[in-house]
Amino acid sequence: MSWFAIGSITDIPQRGARCIETPQGKIGVFRTMDDRIFAIEDHCPHRGGPLSQGIVHGTAVTCPLHNWAISLETGKALGADEGSVRTIRVKVEDQQIFIALFVKADRAA
């Protein structure tokens, strides 16, 4: 696992999100009203809607397509809905956001 800088906390508005492309797929990075940062796969487990375009409320996001609420802490669907997305480890240092990604080691020839 390696840490990758993806920008500043100020790049994401409070109760907003950004989508970033990674070798492991699209990741939604979310900022709550109290400046907590979360990262999850950027597709709803219901129909694949872009969660980064949803509404952030508390520590959840609501999918813009069919209103499924997904926990930013666990990646699990809330309420009666079932399903989950992968959560991504995040750290913030000096206002810079880092996400943890698994990187394949190059093989020596």
Side-chain angles (χ1 to χ4, degrees):
M1 179 184 74
S2 296
W3 292 100
F4 292 90
I6 59 167
S8 171
I9 190 172
T10 58
D11 294 337
I12 304 172
Q14 286 182 318
R15 295 181 52 199
R18 294 288 183 265
C19 177
I20 59 170
E21 295 273 350
T22 75
Q24 296 166 7
K26 292 181 180 180
I27 295 174
V29 182
F30 301 83
R31 180 179 175 190
T32 65
M33 190 64 176
D34 59 355
D35 294 330
R36 294 174 63 195
I37 303 294
F38 295 94
I40 60 175
E41 291 177 309
D42 191 32
H43 66 272
C44 180
H46 175 228
R47 296 272 175 113
L51 294 173
S52 62
Q53 294 178 25
I55 297 170
V56 177
H57 46 95
T59 57
V61 61
T62 297
C63 178
L65 295 185
H66 300 102
N67 294 323
W68 275 39
I70 307 297
S71 168
L72 296 173
E73 296 174 306
T74 66
K76 294 181 181 179
L78 301 172
D81 299 321
E82 293 184 16
S84 64
V85 295
R86 183 171 55 99
T87 59
I88 312 319
R89 290 183 60 194
V90 174
K91 69 179 179 179
V92 178
E93 294 178 352
D94 296 323
Q95 298 292 305
Q96 293 299 306
I97 302 169
F98 296 84
I99 60 170
L101 297 176
F102 290 99
V103 183
K104 292 181 183 177
D106 291 333
R107 292 184 184 186

